[in-house]
Amino acid sequence: MIEITNLTKRYGSFTALNDLNLTIEKGTVFGFVGPNGAGKSTTFSILATLLAPTSGTAYVNGYDVTKSPNEVRKHIGYMPDFFGVYDQFKVHEYLDFYGASYGVPSKERKAIIPQLLELVNLTDKRDAYVDYLSRGMKQRLCLARSLIHDPEVLILDEPASGLDPRARVEMRGILQELKNMEKTILISSHILPELSEMCDYLGVIEHGNLIASGNVNHIENQLQAQKVLQVSVKNDVEQAVSFFEDDPNVQQIDRDKKDELLIHVSYDGSDDEQIELLKKAVTQGIPILSFTQKQSNLEDIFMEITKGGE
Amino acid sequence: MNKLSSLFINPVLNKEIKLRFRSFKSFLGILFYLAVCAAVCLAFIWIEGHNRNGFTANDSRTLFMLLSIGQMGLIAFITPGLTAGAISGERERQTLNILLTTQQSSMSIVISKLFSSLAFLVLMLVASLPLYSLVFLYGGVSPKMVLITFGLHLLTMLMIGSLGVMFSTIIRKTMVATITTYGVMLFFVVGTGFLYIFLGEIMYNLNQNPASTNQRWLPYISLMLNPGIVLFNSFEAGGLDYALQRMGITWPIWKGFTLSYIGISIFALFVSIMRLRPRMRSKKVKKKAS
């Protein structure tokens, strides 16, 4: 598991990470989402013992990243957002080298490498030179590399970035399998739908601040307390406006800029109250043509909450 | 003991040597180098052999000196290029971060990087040993002298190489690290010579008055740091006696050279090891919440 308390990283006057608090339980998949430069990679680098925090603490499986970095390294598999490969290595040699670097005995390496290649679907590339692999294959190879010492915690920084849709789906499948293996996975992306499908929990980070975190539904609710109802009427829009204004759950009414018979009603009542509202409107003879709740997905919410920084 | 052996037999060293010697270019390089050396030797023997009294033991000695100085120059000019990219090259290829998250200690990474970079140069030197055997055919050079020369070569390589790795660790860009290492190498190979002449002049002027001991050490130090001068002194035992006498120092110059080069190497490697990974220090230390 991962425990982060008041973690801060400053570069001079620039704060890359501000007072981050986060607990990720064993076996969960936590998605870190935020625009580029929000502090995701900084957090990951600290957890991977590559960067010293300015203040605060971070524990991986009970080991402090600043005090026992070597123990932390044993427990994490780290995949950076940008990485290179030793181009003169063959695929199996590449994995063997890192296995040896993690202190995995030679016999175990021989046994585990075929399994990892199987997992990431690179068995037929065993003897290919790493340099000749496609981007997606390299990405998968790097993921296999981060698993070579069977770490409990995986820190994957944008594992799907730069991949074509097909490679993305493959990557997602592999992550699903890792999730089934009960690994604790911390994964980041600047694309939200990519994460919402496979994560148990999400954290939204911007300008070094964690602005929302919790399980995927919770985040949706937390950020979507207010829904918007779109109501269009055949005529007499004034009557409709005055009717909706009377409802206590209606916060605000905006007229559509183009369609004068369409109004946007900001509503924070429950689903049942919403049904009652419609019934009442119909009984009172308001000529409703359509009554729809505006669909907003996580991507919209993400855009909504992070637009302040633009 | 186990720790010590893992310092020298470890995956990073294995990898480096495997990758470095995998390319055909490396061997072509050695072939070319040996061909040039052999051509020079044979030409020298042929020319001298057709002069006056034929190829004598004295000529053989001259040839040996020529070869040794040539190889010293080779070491001075190749070592910075081989080592100054050791760490920064990994950083630029974006492989360093991954390597740093493995279980390899900073010490084993740094030492493996140095040794693997120097392995190629050592191979070149060892491969040229048969050429030295040509010299032996004609006499004039003792095996001890060959060993001393080889030792001086290795020490010079170690010192410049360690500095190369140090600059490669503390400077982000390989290009800048390489230029810095070449600069420092030039200081040792050429700069110390000028420094000696300059300091020697001052010392001579001061010597007319009663001079202090400290001032005599300065030219000595600049002399002992120069691999060329130390190499020359090993050929011509007592060649520097007069200079040393003037400085009032009787301590053998090779001792000063050996100690200072080992010292500089240890210092450079220590800095590299300390700077390879970030210094972890958290200002606010809190107890782990259970």
Side-chain angles (χ1 to χ4, degrees), chain A:
Chain A
M1 73 181 278
I2 300 171
E3 289 171 274
I4 297 173
T5 319
N6 303 330
L7 199 65
T8 301
K9 177 71 190 175
R10 281 193 207 96
Y11 298 96
S13 60
F14 174 70
T15 305
L17 196 63
N18 188 22
D19 218 16
L20 181 73
N21 289 287
L22 201 61
T23 303
I24 300 164
E25 295 296 335
K26 187 176 186 292
T28 53
V29 182
F30 189 95
F32 230 178
V33 67
N36 295 332
K40 298 177 303 238
S41 295
T42 305
T43 312
F44 285 14
S45 294
I46 292 173
L47 288 173
T49 73
L50 291 170
L51 199 63
T54 310
S55 65
T57 54
Y59 288 89
V60 175
N61 277 3
Y63 294 103
D64 188 329
V65 293
T66 56
K67 287 181 191 152
S68 334
N70 216 29
E71 286 300 321
V72 171
R73 283 178 211 130
K74 275 184 204 166
H75 289 86
I76 57 161
Y78 171 62
M79 181 173 169
D81 47 354
F82 297 105
F83 63 91
V85 289
Y86 300 109
D87 42 17
Q88 282 179 315
F89 261 144
K90 290 177 178 172
V91 166
H92 71 97
E93 290 171 339
Y94 177 84
L95 290 176
D96 191 68
F97 162 62
Y98 283 106
S101 297
Y102 276 110
V104 181
S106 171
K107 258 190 182 169
E108 286 179 34
R109 296 203 299 270
K110 282 201 176 90
I112 199 172
I113 289 173
Q115 293 172 22
L116 287 175
L117 289 176
E118 179 80 37
L119 176 76
V120 300
N121 213 356
L122 284 176
T123 307
D124 55 333
K125 295 285 177 195
R126 186 185 175 277
D127 290 310
Y129 279 99
V130 172
D131 202 28
Y132 294 114
L133 298 183
S134 70
R135 170 94 191 237
M137 288 175 183
K138 278 184 191 163
Q139 211 94 335
R140 267 152 40 208
L141 180 63
C142 191
L143 184 62
R145 194 262 320 145
S146 68
L147 291 165
I148 190 97
H149 56 303
D150 195 21
E152 286 170 47
V153 177
L154 285 175
I155 296 173
L156 312 174
D157 202 352
E158 310 248 357
S161 73
L163 298 186
D164 61 49
R166 186 178 191 84
R168 235 166 241 263
V169 171
E170 279 174 347
M171 181 61 85
R172 207 179 298 154
I174 296 166
L175 290 172
Q176 189 58 47
E177 235 165 292
L178 293 174
K179 189 177 165 180
N180 298 342
M181 287 156 79
E182 300 220 322
K183 305 265 181 207
T184 307
I185 305 176
L186 184 55
I187 183 171
S188 78
S189 175
H190 58 280
I191 306 166
L192 194 66
E194 207 169 78
L195 289 181
S196 57
E197 287 168 36
M198 55 191 172
C199 294
D200 303 314
Y201 295 94
L202 276 181
V204 183
I205 189 169
E206 197 199 19
H207 294 307
N209 293 299
L210 190 69
I211 49 183
S213 89
N215 71 39
V216 179
N217 295 334
H218 172 79
I219 288 224
E220 255 174 324
N221 292 338
Q222 186 183 340
L223 300 170
Q224 205 186 8
Q226 214 170 53
K227 41 195 168 190
V228 176
L229 306 173
Q230 286 179 311
V231 182
S232 72
V233 286
K234 195 175 173 209
N235 47 44
D236 203 0
V237 72
E238 295 308 325
Q239 185 196 359
V241 170
S242 68
F243 166 77
F244 284 110
E245 263 172 357
D246 288 345
D247 192 280
N249 286 323
V250 171
Q251 304 300 317
Q252 195 185 329
I253 297 174
D254 299 305
R255 289 166 190 256
D256 195 84
K257 283 171 191 147
K258 290 177 194 159
D259 185 354
E260 55 181 32
L261 293 173
L262 179 66
I263 54 172
H264 302 272
V265 182
S266 298
Y267 186 74
D268 61 3
S270 68
D271 288 352
D272 289 333
E273 286 169 323
Q274 192 178 320
I275 293 168
E276 286 305 317
L277 179 70
L278 178 60
K279 257 189 206 164
K280 206 170 145 194
V282 175
T283 351
Q284 292 204 3
I286 296 170
I288 292 178
L289 279 177
S290 77
F291 183 94
T292 46
Q293 183 180 328
K294 196 176 160 193
Q295 287 298 316
S296 69
N297 55 25
L298 274 178
E299 190 77 347
D300 295 332
I301 299 164
F302 176 65
M303 293 305 287
E304 181 67 24
I305 54 182
T306 56
K307 76 180 175 192
E310 282 167 13

Side-chain angles (χ1 to χ4, degrees), chain B residues 8-9 15 33 69 87 151 191 228 247 256 290:
Chain B
F8 297 101
I9 304 163
K15 174 211 94 176
Y33 170 67
I69 290 170
I87 304 291
M247 290 182 276
S290 57

